Amino acid sequence: MPVNDTTTYIPVENVAWDFEDQVVLVTGAAHGQGASHAQRFAEYGATMVVSDIAGEMEHVDYKLGSVVELEQTAESCRSFGNECISTVCDVRDADQVQSMVDQAIERFGRVDVLISNAGIATMSPIESMPLSMWQETMDTNLKGSFLLCRAVVPHMKEAGTGRIVITGSTQTVGSINDLANYTAAKHGVEGLAQSLSIELAGYDINVNVVCPTAVDTDINAIFGNEEWSAQAGALVGAWNLFQEEMIHEREITEAMMWLASRDGAQMSGSTIMVDAGCMAK
Amino acid sequence: MHGQVSAASSGNGWRAGGAPKWSFADRLVAITRTDGFRGGAQKVAFEAAGATVIDLVDSPDESTVERQAAQIEDGHGKGLDALVVNGAPVDPQALVEMAEETWDGVIAEHVTGPFLLFKHVVPLMGEGTLGKVVVTAGPETWSGSDGLVHLTAARHAVFGLAKDLALETRARKINVNVSCPSTAVDDAGAEDHEAALAALTQSVMWLSSDASRFVTATSIRLQRPTAYAVKNRTSER
């Protein structure tokens, strides 16, 4: 497993995005990748809706986002001069998801971009994995995207346009031991995106998946087990061809923004690997 | 409605996401087949973004490629930022009717040519350059196609070649990727030719930029669901 160190981010120079007048909804936005996505979209002019479970989950051992962190993300978005509403939302709960989307529609009239980013990771060999652990990860990482899409798509259809980007993983296309729940869910989001892209083909609504390699956020704390890391390293090799450290979450945000921009018009049902060559082998 | 954002629209009603502004000022980009649809559009886009563009000949003859590389080095040292290798369409033919020369020609043009460019031109990406290699291919990179066994084999092969180059150049942090447009990109008569060409150009810009610096050894599928799939989708029967 790569080194979990404070990764230096080098600002991108070759591109300036434009999300003026766009309403962007980001889940899992209290910290980590979701917070990065939210802040960057806001920086380039978007009106934001940010959400997070902001609480504990039964099988998750590492630190999840908090209400305080969620509001910090919201304040950061507002600091760019744009409106931002924040909502505590468990994406496993259909009523909470619907309520969040209804709130966004009532306030802003539409949702132009959905970044379905909320996700967790829990680890166990299959034979000892509690069903509740399996369900918790499947419901957060896969069902959550289903519920969000189901709630947002009618509004995007009405608007005739929209962008959906789902956070995948290297485990969307690969696999590794003791992550059956996570791997199944992350494979599932690709299938969900591909199928939904066909359902939405005539509406200028695109659905794509971005697949990061190890990113320097709290979720990677679960990979601290030395024995597992040794096994994983032997199986996978380098998680990042370019550096030992994990990558900064803003590197993932760049891919999200590209797909959500006008440039993403001709891509739907696609999977973008931001994996620093991890899956090349 | 309180708090409702303005209903800004752009032309055809498109609203989701504005166009990014690219900046490649003082960057050097070498592009093959600039006399074709793909390379021509890329050249226009990169020059509009401030880059200096070198027109490259994609050839399976090593001496031709060596000469070009020497010319680049004479003029610019090891200051090449990006290399864009453009694929081209081929005529379909059933395998059982295919002459060996036909097969050899497609492999030479679509695999050996890129190999030679990788061998002689990529070393010109020195310290401080963006270090980007983009190959443009097609849907044959990931799927089979009736009557295109030579092109499909070639497209798959060049993707493998790109992945290997990515592994070999990782110490220099060179990104190597393949962008796969639809077949409309090479067909001026296709209804979505312009859109496909624009999508390919935009993907090449992104893959050549520092916004994609951790994207390597992968292929970008510039795809939308087919017209058949749209017409027959279950959700609206």
Side-chain angles (χ1 to χ4, degrees):
Chain A
M1 197 64 201
V3 171
N4 191 345
D5 202 348
T6 304
T7 306
T8 303
Y9 177 71
I10 302 169
V12 161
E13 293 181 354
N14 297 145
V15 63
W17 304 105
D18 176 13
F19 290 96
E20 290 284 341
D21 226 33
Q22 306 294 305
V23 178
V24 180
L25 191 160
V26 180
T27 64
H31 63 187
Q33 292 180 50
S36 172
H37 305 335
Q39 288 158 11
R40 197 94 160 115
F41 274 105
E43 181 182 353
Y44 282 109
T47 297
M48 299 303 304
V49 180
V50 297
S51 80
D52 202 278
I53 190 171
E56 307 280 312
M57 295 183 77
E58 180 185 358
H59 295 284
V60 177
D61 293 331
Y62 56 90
K63 182 179 171 297
L64 289 173
S66 66
V67 171
V68 169
E69 286 176 309
L70 180 62
E71 190 50 35
Q72 286 171 344
T73 298
E75 279 303 316
S76 177
C77 292
R78 294 179 194 123
S79 73
F80 295 106
N82 311 307
E83 281 195 76
C84 177
I85 58 176
S86 66
T87 311
V88 172
C89 175
D90 183 343
V91 298
R92 298 172 295 174
D93 186 309
D95 290 338
Q96 290 189 38
V97 168
Q98 191 62 57
S99 174
M100 172 179 64
V101 172
D102 289 345
Q103 188 182 355
I105 297 299
E106 184 178 341
R107 180 74 176 268
F108 301 124
R110 64 179 195 269
V111 173
D112 295 300
V113 180
L114 167 64
I115 305 292
S116 180
N117 170 74
I120 59 170
T122 56
M123 188 188 295
S124 166
I126 283 181
E127 67 265 24
S128 55
M129 184 181 291
L131 180 59
S132 55
M133 178 186 279
W134 164 268
Q135 211 63 60
E136 186 179 70
T137 296
M138 288 292 288
D139 286 353
T140 303
N141 294 10
L142 178 56
K143 185 177 177 182
S145 286
F146 156 70
L147 290 174
L148 283 160
C149 290
R150 191 177 69 163
V152 163
V153 159
H155 301 288
M156 288 183 170
K157 277 186 173 180
E158 192 179 340
T161 182
R163 290 270 190 274
I164 298 171
V165 190
I166 304 172
T167 301
S169 168
T170 48
Q171 305 314 297
T172 295
V173 302
S175 59
I176 204 159
N177 51 295
D178 300 355
L179 280 172
N181 51 353
Y182 185 83
T183 301
K186 290 299 186 180
H187 271 64
V189 297
E190 184 177 51
L192 169 70
Q194 288 177 347
S195 185
L196 186 56
S197 75
I198 295 174
E199 286 187 34
L200 299 176
Y203 297 95
D204 269 342
I205 303 170
N206 294 357
V207 192
N208 293 293
V209 180
V210 169
C211 296
T213 184
V215 181
D216 194 3
T217 61
D218 289 330
I219 197 171
N220 283 290
I222 74 158
F223 303 121
N225 177 293
E226 281 189 18
E227 185 183 341
W228 183 89
S229 284
Q231 281 181 1
L235 281 170
V236 174
W239 291 85
N240 180 329
L241 292 185
F242 299 137
Q243 63 192 41
E244 197 179 345
E245 295 80 18
M246 287 187 256
I247 63 177
H248 197 283
E249 57 265 23
R250 284 182 71 165
E251 308 290 354
I252 312 305
T253 303
E254 293 297 326
M256 293 282 181
M257 302 191 89
W258 183 59
L259 288 169
S261 76
R262 191 182 299 242
D263 272 17
Q266 293 302 314
M267 296 182 64
S268 195
S270 292
T271 296
I272 303 288
M273 305 300 296
V274 188
D275 71 335
C278 173
M279 304 309 290
K281 304 167 292 298
Chain B
M1 189 178 295
H2 174 69
Q4 189 168 12
V5 297
S6 65
S9 176
S10 38
N12 61 357
W14 178 259
R15 192 164 45 214
K21 292 184 179 54
W22 299 104
S23 172
F24 287 88
D26 301 324
R27 295 297 183 178
L28 185 66
V29 181
I31 304 175
T32 69
R33 303 179 197 267
T34 54
D35 57 346
F37 290 127
R38 304 181 184 209
Q42 291 152 18
K43 180 172 179 174
V44 169
F46 273 108
E47 286 180 340
T52 298
V53 173
I54 297 172
D55 302 325
L56 273 185
V57 172
D58 191 346
S59 170
D61 175 65
E62 187 156 19
S63 61
T64 301
V65 179
E66 280 181 301
R67 255 195 320 276
Q68 291 184 98
Q71 284 170 357
I72 296 172
E73 190 166 11
D74 281 345
H76 305 279
K78 293 196 191 299
L80 183 66
D81 289 286
L83 167 65
V84 185
V85 182
N86 283 301
V90 303
D91 293 327
Q93 188 171 37
L95 182 151
V96 295
E97 295 165 9
M98 190 178 293
E100 187 176 345
E101 295 76 23
T102 302
W103 168 272
D104 286 344
V106 168
I107 299 298
E109 182 180 349
H110 291 267
V111 192
T112 305
F115 158 70
L116 291 172
L117 286 167
F118 292 174
K119 179 178 174 182
H120 293 288
V121 177
V122 170
L124 302 178
M125 296 180 179
E127 196 76 31
T129 64
L130 286 171
K132 302 288 186 171
V133 179
V134 183
V135 178
T136 76
E140 304 84 8
T141 302
W142 70 82
S143 66
S145 214
D146 197 10
L148 286 173
V149 60
H150 44 356
L151 183 63
T152 304
R155 297 267 203 239
H156 277 68
V158 83
F159 184 27
L161 175 64
K163 285 198 268 191
D164 194 85
L165 181 67
L167 291 170
E168 290 190 23
T169 57
R170 65 189 184 277
R172 288 186 284 153
K173 297 191 178 181
I174 291 176
N175 301 80
V176 188
N177 294 290
V178 179
S179 183
C180 305
S182 77
T183 53
V185 76
D186 298 312
D187 178 3
E191 187 183 330
D192 53 347
H193 168 70
E194 292 295 330
L197 196 54
L200 177 62
T201 303
Q202 287 145 15
S203 73
V204 170
M205 304 290 277
W206 185 63
L207 289 170
S208 300
S209 76
D210 57 357
S212 61
R213 56 189 165 218
F214 286 100
V215 181
T216 196
T218 190
S219 69
I220 305 283
R221 302 183 189 183
L222 302 174
Q223 65 179 22
R224 288 193 66 91
T226 62
Y228 175 84
V230 171
K231 185 180 169 188
N232 289 279
R233 55 189 170 197
T234 306
S235 55
E236 292 193 353
R237 280 189 195 149

